[in-house]
Amino acid sequence: MKEILLIFIPALTLVPTAVAAALAMRKISSTALDGMTRQPEIAAQLFTSMLVSLALVEALVIYSLVVALMLAAKV
Amino acid sequence: MSATVVRYLPYIVVVNFLLVATLLVVLGRLATARPLKELPDGRQNAAEAVLDWFVAQARSIHPESVTLIAPFLATLFLLILFSNLLAILPVPILNIPPTSYYSGPLALAVIAVVGVIVICAKMRGGRAAVKHIFWPNPLQLVAEASHTLSLSLRLYGNIAGELLVASLATQAAPYGIPLIIYTLGLIPASVQPIVFTLLTVNFLATAVPAQGQPRGHPGGPIARAP
């Protein structure tokens, strides 16, 4: 039983972060697309800003992935 | 990957990086082999189309230092892009992207962060560069280290993750499905160089404020978030 629980620990570190990041990315993308359709003339600038914002959110998931991989290696 | 490949992976990464660098040098030489014309055509047109975006980014940071900033950004971008695209080559050893092994992205991130400081020193002098590292307090040094970590981990996580998913899919269903995964892998492979370059632009914009603007507010398309 303990072994099975230990296997799930890395997954449990990753899942909440991934869910939270998905929600944040949804907000970023929808707001950016909203802005792009309202003002197509600044679409290129909004796109680059959106990419940077998405990358910053995505970094958190990757930190979590690294921690999960380290935990998996220890388990 | 077989045990032999895993054993020699660090060397494979270096060799693949060198191959990509050689390819880029050859492409650069080919693009500028003929005398440059005022009205570009053919190769010169293609090369200028690629460089245009970097020149625009460099101009948004510091319009007078485009020749210093744009080549730095373009080199980082093209090296990462071509390294990522190695994954789609149908050649066994050659198709290991150097960015999928942590040393590769870490080296690129160190080059980006140190390059930002060197460009800052060239444009504003050594004292300004030291001030950039230690101002407003020495903890800024930790921020520089965290920039290195975040840049490298982001690139590594995306490319290595994509490769891991592709190899798992290949084990589970050898025909058809890996093709879809590899095709989807082209998205992070082409988006990550843009992200890496844009974040470097962001770091540069905070290190080298545009003339007449206060530090930390570079203006242009990618203003740092408050």
Side-chain angles (χ1 to χ4, degrees):
Chain A
M1 186 64 191
K2 196 184 166 191
E3 283 76 22
I4 295 170
L5 279 178
L6 282 177
I7 289 169
F8 274 102
I9 286 174
L12 288 177
T13 54
L14 188 53
V15 168
T17 331
V19 171
L23 292 175
M25 282 179 167
R26 182 196 68 172
K27 177 79 178 163
I28 292 168
S29 314
S30 68
T31 314
L33 285 174
D34 201 23
M36 282 181 209
T37 36
R38 278 172 198 272
Q39 284 179 290
E41 63 273 12
I42 57 161
Q45 292 177 21
L46 281 177
F47 183 70
T48 47
S49 302
M50 182 188 81
L51 277 185
V52 172
S53 314
L54 286 178
L56 293 177
V57 173
E58 189 193 50
L60 299 175
V61 191
I62 288 167
Y63 296 154
S64 175
L65 174 73
V66 171
V67 171
L69 286 176
M70 285 163 73
L71 281 175
K74 284 211 167 179
V75 171
Chain B
M1 271 187 269
S2 69
T4 321
V5 173
V6 171
R7 192 176 157 204
Y8 289 106
L9 202 52
Y11 306 103
I12 293 171
V13 165
V14 174
V15 170
N16 284 0
F17 253 142
L18 285 175
L19 280 176
V20 172
T22 316
L23 178 72
L24 286 176
V25 169
V26 170
L27 284 178
R29 288 273 173 203
L30 280 178
T32 54
R34 293 183 211 153
L36 299 179
K37 296 178 200 160
E38 199 169 339
L39 278 175
D41 59 341
R43 292 176 201 158
Q44 191 190 338
N45 210 354
E48 284 189 13
V50 172
L51 276 180
D52 202 36
W53 188 72
F54 305 105
V55 171
Q57 294 295 335
R59 204 165 275 154
S60 75
I61 300 171
H62 202 269
E64 286 168 14
S65 307
V66 171
T67 48
L68 185 66
I69 298 170
F72 174 63
L73 298 176
T75 309
L76 277 178
F77 177 88
L78 292 173
L79 192 61
I80 297 172
L81 179 69
F82 278 72
S83 304
N84 292 348
L85 290 180
L86 278 189
I88 55 170
L89 288 182
V91 185
I93 304 288
L94 206 62
N95 71 355
I96 299 172
T99 40
S100 68
Y101 186 74
Y102 189 56
S103 302
L106 187 61
L108 288 167
V110 168
I111 290 168
V113 170
V114 173
V116 167
I117 294 167
V118 170
I119 288 176
C120 180
K122 272 193 170 177
M123 287 167 62
R124 298 172 62 216
R127 279 186 65 164
V130 173
K131 192 181 168 190
H132 166 68
I133 300 171
F134 291 107
W135 190 259
N137 56 42
L139 280 178
Q140 190 69 18
L141 204 61
V142 180
E144 296 293 327
S146 76
H147 285 164
T148 316
L149 268 183
S150 73
L151 275 178
S152 58
L153 278 176
R154 183 179 298 112
L155 183 59
Y156 166 71
N158 274 286
I159 306 303
E162 187 59 44
L163 215 67
L164 192 68
V165 171
S167 67
L168 285 176
T170 313
Q171 281 174 15
Y175 303 105
I177 306 292
L179 189 66
I180 300 168
I181 305 281
Y182 273 108
T183 314
L184 286 175
L186 288 178
I187 299 170
S190 50
V191 166
Q192 284 312 310
I194 301 176
V195 167
F196 195 98
T197 318
L198 281 179
L199 288 171
T200 313
V201 168
N202 237 351
F203 299 151
L204 257 176
T206 47
V208 189
Q211 284 152 332
Q213 284 182 330
R215 190 181 157 85
H217 294 278
I222 321 153
R224 198 178 171 86

